[in-house]
Amino acid sequence: MSRLEARPAPSRAMMLASPLIAALAMLVTGSILFLLLGQEPLHAFYVYFIKPATTLYGVGELLLKATPLILCGVGLAIGFRADVHNIGADGQLTVGAIIAGCVALYFDGVEAPWVLPLMLVAGALGGMAWAAIPALLRTRFNTSEILVSLMLVYVAYLLLSYLVHGPLRDPDGFNFPQSKMFGDSATLPLLVEGLRVNAAFLLSLAGVAGAWFFCRHTFAGYRMQVSGMAPAAALYAGFSAPKNVWLAFLVSGAMAGLAGVGEVAGPIGQLQPSVSPGYGFAAIIVAYVGRLHPVGVLLAALLMSLLYIGGEAAQIELQLPSAITGLFQGLLLFYLLAADLFIHYRFKPRVRVAPAGKTAATPEIAA
Amino acid sequence: MNPDYVIAFLASTAGAATPLVLASSGELVAERSGVLNLGLEGIMLVGAVTGFMATVSTGSLTLGLLAALLAGMAMSLIFGFLVLTLQTNQVATGLALTLFGIGLSAFLGRDLVGQTVAPIAALSFPVLSDIPFIGPLLFRFDPVVYLSLLLVVAAGWMLARTRIGLQIRAVGEAPHSAHAIGMPVIGLRYAAVLFGGAMAGVGGAYMSLALTPMWVEGMTAGRGWIALAQVVFATWKPRNVVLGAYLFGGVTVLQFHGQGMGLAVPSQFLSMLPYLATIAILVIICRDPKTILLNKPMSLGQNFKAD
């Protein structure tokens, strides 16, 4: 039996290694699961995790799926750094898509270069407005931002459902609950002809750069980091907690709103009863696996995107259930949280101390 | 308004409230010990699917509920291991448990979609059930409804009057002092978290075995989160859990009875009501920081490490 001993200082190496350990552990679990499902593990592994990235089209799909995850993940990470928990990115994404969709449908038939920028701004503002509700209730009434932002996700889903079943339904759509397809001027340009990845990906990269600059070089970014790491110190320094809450929610709401525009003005091309298979929730995992660092989020989003694409491939080629994707996502976060243990603790072989009485001079956890 | 309709409305309120009564009272005990489990939604979903699965394969509702209870405990054991033994962040771990539970339940339930079971049957008391008005309102529910109410009373009594209840509260208020006088802080928290998980599992199974006797992906639709809000609403007092849950049960069934009662509103807006009501009630309760600070367990959400 060995035990864990507190490190004098958090291990930087483990901080970077723990996401890799988590990913590895998830892959091992995945292989075991494949085996249990009667698949040849190596083949299933190849189809799920490797093959999607071996073709140009596959890489395009990977970047396409990563886009909303990067946008939402970067926004959430900024808040999580300050211990502000926006769990409602999926709702903010949905509202962004709704508002941008309204703009697109209102200017339907107008062929002008300003339609798309207007949609982006409107979508970002829509996401911000939806995110402003939990921020306002938290700062004004002390209401848990976790619960409020989450409740608003369901409200946003229902709002979208109402709109596509009612006012925004395509009159020529054979009664399907969906809007008209958006026109060319309301559709994001493709990055490479033949691939589906569009200009929103560049937007997400700009988001990563912007967030990196914000966290690294601005006082507001510093203030938020201190508030998250040492709340008492932040209080003593007179940093305003409400300011952090507002900033975190407005930024992440805008990013999630943009992600929504990227979906409806990109691969979907219209409003449908659902515009997100839970990107806003997957982005929570992305933010943590990315170590709440913009560049980390970028890498984690690519990994998570691979899980989505691989899940689809496994469903088609191996007849594996699509729900396996969600299972892997949850496992990844579990393993990361468990691996984070090694940032603050290290293994130490058990040393026999005679007589077994009170031996704990340092904090320890039985392992 | 037709009185039969009012009776039907009030009676179905109890059904809609029962999953919340179960999950909230379990979470209340866990929170009283200082542990915030945001994984409730995931636990309820896994409870719903395992309960349904066990009932389909054994034909026994009792075994279904038992399976859900064990599944809820297993889920909360994962949470407890991470949070209590490995000292991970409670908020992040709870979210992870919910996301994992959503994925796991969808995975387990992939072959169950479309199947049905005979729902838990209502009890019938001789004479009492036939009293007009009072009969259908008080004496025609299924046993779980009555059990859930008994459970709240038992949980309240346990917390207020028993030794282990006192210890759980002490551990939630001042874990270091409790540890100093020899209480097993981590062990007590494990017990409270496991109890919370068991109740959430059964609450989920009640949805798939009684309310809508089938399995649908994500069928709890945020009940786990509403149950978490209920604990705040109840200001961590068991008796208020029942009040809150029945209030929300009423709001929830409005969406099924609203149009029948003559509310000409699109169904989506009626479906929004439980979520909007949750937000409204949170605002009302949290507005006065004193109520919250006086009642909230002092160490809620903070990990404890013996040193």
Side-chain angles (χ1 to χ4, degrees):
Chain A
M1 221 12 207
S2 51
R3 60 180 179 164
L4 292 167
E5 180 192 64
R7 293 178 194 271
S11 158
R12 201 174 154 69
M14 277 314 296
M15 216 137 108
L16 297 173
S18 65
L20 297 177
I21 297 175
L24 207 67
M26 182 202 68
L27 294 179
V28 172
T29 315
S31 307
I32 296 171
L33 195 63
F34 290 144
L35 202 65
L36 291 177
L37 289 169
Q39 299 283 344
E40 207 272 291
L42 275 181
H43 177 65
F45 192 86
Y46 174 78
V47 170
Y48 201 114
F49 297 110
I50 313 259
K51 202 177 164 204
T54 53
T55 63
L56 186 63
Y57 183 79
V59 172
E61 290 294 291
L62 212 59
L63 299 183
L64 176 70
K65 275 262 194 271
T67 302
L69 295 170
I70 298 169
L71 281 166
C72 293
V74 163
L76 295 184
I78 287 177
F80 290 174
R81 286 167 85 103
D83 245 342
V84 179
H85 294 99
N86 176 4
I87 307 305
D90 223 42
Q92 291 140 25
L93 182 154
T94 302
V95 171
I98 291 174
I99 303 289
C102 290
V103 171
L105 295 168
Y106 185 79
F107 292 110
D108 188 36
V110 177
E111 290 298 327
W114 48 262
V115 174
L116 202 55
L118 188 65
M119 283 170 69
L120 289 169
V121 172
L125 288 175
M128 273 168 115
W130 210 243
I133 302 170
L136 176 75
L137 298 185
R138 159 81 192 262
T139 52
R140 182 82 180 71
F141 298 112
N142 202 24
T143 312
S144 158
E145 79 275 20
I146 295 179
L147 294 174
V148 173
S149 62
L150 207 115
M151 290 294 118
L152 287 172
V153 173
Y154 294 98
V155 176
Y157 289 165
L158 288 162
L159 188 66
L160 175 64
S161 163
Y162 163 70
L163 290 172
V164 295
H165 280 92
L168 297 183
R169 174 149 61 185
D170 182 2
D172 306 321
F174 305 103
N175 247 351
F176 279 114
Q178 53 195 29
S179 77
K180 275 182 81 160
M181 290 298 289
F182 298 167
D184 283 344
S185 62
T187 306
L188 284 159
L190 296 178
L191 283 186
V192 181
E193 210 45 57
L195 304 184
R196 295 203 305 159
V197 57
N198 59 47
F201 179 67
L202 298 181
L203 216 58
S204 74
L205 291 184
V208 170
W212 180 81
F213 182 81
F214 173 80
C215 294
R216 193 73 196 265
H217 293 292
T218 64
F219 181 64
Y222 172 72
R223 201 179 60 204
M224 291 182 81
Q225 187 158 8
V226 172
S227 306
M229 284 164 64
L235 198 68
Y236 185 69
F239 295 166
S240 151
K243 245 188 210 165
N244 285 342
V245 174
W246 274 107
L247 200 63
F249 267 93
L250 291 182
V251 170
S252 55
M255 304 274 258
L258 281 177
V261 185
E263 291 307 294
V264 291
I268 301 178
Q270 64 184 157
L271 287 179
Q272 289 179 346
S274 164
V275 293
S276 156
Y279 290 133
F281 294 109
I284 297 170
I285 304 176
V286 165
Y288 281 115
V289 174
R291 294 259 71 100
L292 307 184
H293 187 286
V295 178
V297 167
L298 175 67
L299 297 174
L302 289 170
L303 173 65
M304 193 65 75
S305 167
L306 181 65
L307 287 186
Y308 273 113
I309 309 276
E312 287 169 15
Q315 197 185 353
I316 296 165
E317 281 193 39
L318 309 170
Q319 279 80 47
L320 285 178
S322 61
I324 215 168
T325 304
L327 198 61
F328 283 155
Q329 290 179 351
L331 278 177
L332 182 62
L333 188 45
F334 272 145
Y335 284 130
L336 176 84
L337 292 167
D340 274 358
L341 176 79
F342 298 111
I343 295 173
H344 298 286
Y345 298 92
R346 64 177 157 220
F347 268 120
K348 206 185 163 201
R350 170 79 78 187
V351 189
R352 279 259 160 242
V353 186
K358 281 226 166 225
T359 55
T362 50
E364 60 171 275
I365 301 171
Chain B
M1 208 182 293
N2 186 341
D4 285 348
Y5 225 95
V6 177
I7 289 175
F9 170 76
L10 291 174
S12 50
T13 294
T18 297
L20 293 176
V21 172
L22 290 165
S24 303
S25 52
E27 172 67 12
L28 188 143
V29 172
E31 290 195 16
R32 275 295 190 92
S33 82
V35 184
L36 176 70
N37 187 352
L38 293 181
L40 231 49
E41 176 83 357
I43 301 178
M44 286 183 85
L45 277 170
V46 171
V49 80
T50 42
F52 190 76
M53 210 153 57
T55 303
V56 165
S57 53
T58 64
S60 157
L61 286 162
T62 316
L63 286 180
L65 289 172
L66 192 69
L69 185 127
L70 293 175
M73 285 179 92
M75 286 287 281
S76 57
L77 189 64
I78 301 177
F79 178 80
F81 178 70
L82 284 164
V83 158
L84 299 173
T85 301
L86 299 187
Q87 303 276 324
T88 59
N89 176 300
Q90 293 188 9
V91 170
T93 310
L95 293 173
L97 192 71
T98 285
L99 295 168
F100 175 70
I102 293 171
L104 180 66
S105 61
F107 177 70
L108 292 175
R110 65 195 189 280
D111 297 328
L112 297 174
V113 179
Q115 298 196 43
T116 50
V117 293
I120 302 175
L123 295 177
S124 173
F125 300 92
V127 188
L128 290 176
S129 302
D130 300 323
I131 304 173
F133 202 73
I134 299 191
L137 278 189
L138 292 180
F139 301 110
R140 279 195 206 161
F141 297 118
D142 61 65
V144 182
V145 172
Y146 299 110
L147 278 176
S148 73
L149 296 176
L150 273 179
L151 190 99
V152 175
V153 176
W157 178 78
M158 188 271 288
L159 282 173
R161 295 265 182 269
T162 66
R163 184 183 167 82
I164 190 167
L166 177 70
Q167 289 184 326
I168 284 176
R169 283 186 292 140
V171 157
E173 295 295 337
H176 289 278
S177 314
H179 174 71
I181 58 170
M183 287 186 199
V185 176
I186 299 295
L188 284 162
R189 286 190 168 180
Y190 258 111
V193 165
L194 284 174
F195 175 74
M199 287 307 107
V202 175
Y206 187 78
M207 299 194 68
S208 65
L209 294 178
L211 284 185
T212 49
M214 59 170 141
W215 163 251
V216 182
E217 252 181 56
M219 66 180 293
T220 51
R223 288 302 181 290
W225 298 101
I226 293 180
L228 275 159
Q230 292 281 330
V231 180
V232 180
F233 170 74
T235 56
W236 293 272
K237 294 191 184 98
R239 60 163 187 270
N240 293 350
V241 161
V242 179
L243 183 72
Y246 275 72
L247 205 66
F248 276 84
V251 175
T252 310
V253 292
L254 257 189
Q255 58 185 293
F256 305 113
H257 293 273
Q259 273 156 339
M261 295 204 293
L263 286 171
V265 182
S267 67
Q268 287 94 348
F269 288 103
L270 290 172
S271 302
M272 284 179 198
L273 284 177
Y275 309 111
L276 295 175
T278 304
I279 296 176
I281 291 226
L282 280 175
V283 167
I284 293 167
I285 297 293
C286 299
R287 198 185 40 178
D288 179 12
K290 267 181 283 173
T291 336
I292 293 299
L293 283 179
L294 274 178
N295 294 303
K296 189 176 185 171
M298 282 297 285
S299 74
L300 184 61
Q302 292 162 17
N303 284 346
F304 168 79
K305 213 164 48 204
D307 54 9

